[in-house]
Amino acid sequence: MIPSVLPTYNRAPLSFVKGEGSWMIEADGRRFLDLGAGIAVNVLGHANPVLVNALTEQANAIWHVSNLYEIPQQQALADKLVAESFADTVFFTNSGTEACELAVKMARKYWYEKGQPEKVEIIAFDGSFHGRSSAGIAAAGSEKMTKGFGPLLPGFKQLTWGDVAAVNDAIDDKTAAIIVEPVQGEGGIRPMADEDLQELAHICKENDVLLILDEVQCGVGRTGKLFAHEWAGISPDIMMVAKGIGGGFPLGAVLASEEAASGMTAGTHGSTYGGNPLACAVGNAVMDVVAAPEFLADVNRKSGLLRQKLEGLVASYPDLFEEVRGSGLMMGLKCYAPNMDVVNAGYDNEVVTVPAADNVVRLLPPLNISEDEIAEAVVRLEKAAAQVAAKKD
Ligand code: PLP
């Protein structure tokens, strides 16, 4: 009999009933260190008092107001995002997937309004993940995501990740945009080199193609800059954000330049919930903390510590791990052993990590995790590694 929850996930037999900072407490009382943060969502940890206050204060005032009316919390958050980024304008969504939908629509509408309606194609990269909607799976293109869900939304093609040289050849007079994650998350914590991102941005400018960055997973302080592309010193035309921006409350956004957004006039897009007062009250509180230079400096410092400790782990278990990769507090352990063995052994040792493609174990802790917690987390990962190694022998 089909479970009452549609079984699209292979769930671990863990049921977390409480969260405190970087810790999650299981129904049986065990305390787990959280290096997953709900897949890069809880950027300020669990039950952060600043976020709890923002949420409850707003909940006592007004929860939801339609986008038919002005929403001061939304205006304030848009102003902050515009002030802190390349963008001139923002549309709020409830998720990364919806941000992908709008990014694609916006790019196509831009060229339509420019009198070039033939420019509809979007170039993406293999291993990417842009959500599970029709546009999202068509952009990712992998068999795993698309099989059985045809006919696929037309107008997408995929190039090999990192093969920036192929982009020039792939662009033609139908190309509307390139979409790329500066650091692939689901694909296995695969950062695009700064030079490659710079080259992509250059190719887009030269060829009249819009650059869409998907920073749903790598944005909002995760890599130690507010947005990951800042490391490469480039500016996209359109950017998708979600996950961290809501700190655990469902919130996403599309940020765009005035030019790229110029086709999106009244009535061309909408959302019932996107940018409602509750979500934006939390989003504002997240941004006030995460965008502060001292906070980002701290993320970078802790990133160095985590990387150093993980390098030690890889050196101690060269048969289990190949390398550490990633940036900021978005790290991946590329494994020789099956990544799920490591993740499961982590559960046994009360540390939560997240599997990714390419046989990688992802480490995406809350950005305010302490140094002591990082040290403790790696002790637990070492125990997990020892357990996997013992089973292997
Ligand atoms: N884009 C990227 C890079 C993601 O990592 C994800 C989710 O993991 C999405 C888009 C989809 O976001 P959501 O699950 O919020 O719809």
Side-chain angles (χ1 to χ4, degrees), residues 173-198:
D173 49 14
K174 292 207 190 85
T175 310
I178 293 177
I179 183 167
V180 62
E181 292 162 80
V183 184
Q184 280 192 349
E186 304 300 310
I189 311 293
R190 298 199 293 176
M192 184 161 273
D194 286 351
E195 312 80 74
D196 288 344
L197 273 178
Q198 287 155 2

Side-chain angles (χ1 to χ4, degrees), residues 133-352:
S133 63
S134 295
I137 63 173
S142 69
E143 192 185 335
K144 184 176 163 226
M145 264 185 284
T146 58
K147 196 174 170 192
F149 296 118
L152 292 183
L153 191 66
F156 292 88
K157 60 181 160 197
Q158 291 78 29
L159 303 180
T160 305
W161 175 253
D163 189 359
V164 175
V167 174
N168 266 322
D169 293 339
I171 288 176
D172 59 27
D173 49 14
K174 292 207 190 85
T175 310
I178 293 177
I179 183 167
V180 62
E181 292 162 80
V183 184
Q184 280 192 349
E186 304 300 310
I189 311 293
R190 298 199 293 176
M192 184 161 273
D194 286 351
E195 312 80 74
D196 288 344
L197 273 178
Q198 287 155 2
E199 181 62 15
L200 264 188
H202 175 72
I203 292 172
C204 284
K205 285 234 153 47
E206 293 275 286
N207 291 280
D208 267 349
V209 166
L210 298 176
L211 179 60
I212 304 173
L213 294 182
D214 182 344
E215 295 226 11
V216 166
Q217 194 160 147
C218 62
V220 195
R222 183 55 52 195
T223 67
K225 295 266 189 202
L226 186 57
F227 298 110
H229 68 269
E230 293 170 26
W231 288 111
I234 60 159
S235 282
D237 301 291
I238 300 171
M239 178 169 72
M240 299 145 56
V241 172
K243 290 185 181 278
I245 188 74
F249 199 95
L251 177 62
V254 173
L255 283 68
S257 67
E258 183 166 11
E259 175 70 9
S262 57
M264 302 306 295
T265 50
T268 55
H269 198 66
S271 168
T272 295
Y273 293 116
N276 87 358
L278 268 190
C280 289
V282 182
N284 276 303
V286 168
M287 273 295 286
D288 287 345
V289 176
V290 173
E294 319 80 73
F295 184 87
L296 293 169
D298 213 39
V299 171
N300 286 309
R301 210 170 33 74
K302 286 184 286 200
S303 166
L305 178 71
L306 178 60
R307 181 180 282 277
Q308 190 191 17
K309 289 188 175 291
L310 292 175
E311 299 282 7
L313 178 68
V314 169
S316 303
Y317 292 93
D319 294 343
L320 297 192
F321 303 115
E322 187 180 333
E323 61 165 354
V324 181
R325 62 196 193 201
S327 77
L329 290 174
M330 185 173 187
M331 295 277 180
L333 281 170
K334 166 85 173 142
C335 301
Y336 291 121
N339 61 349
M340 272 319 291
D341 287 3
V342 177
V343 171
N344 285 329
Y347 296 149
D348 291 342
N349 290 281
E350 292 156 17
V351 59
V352 172

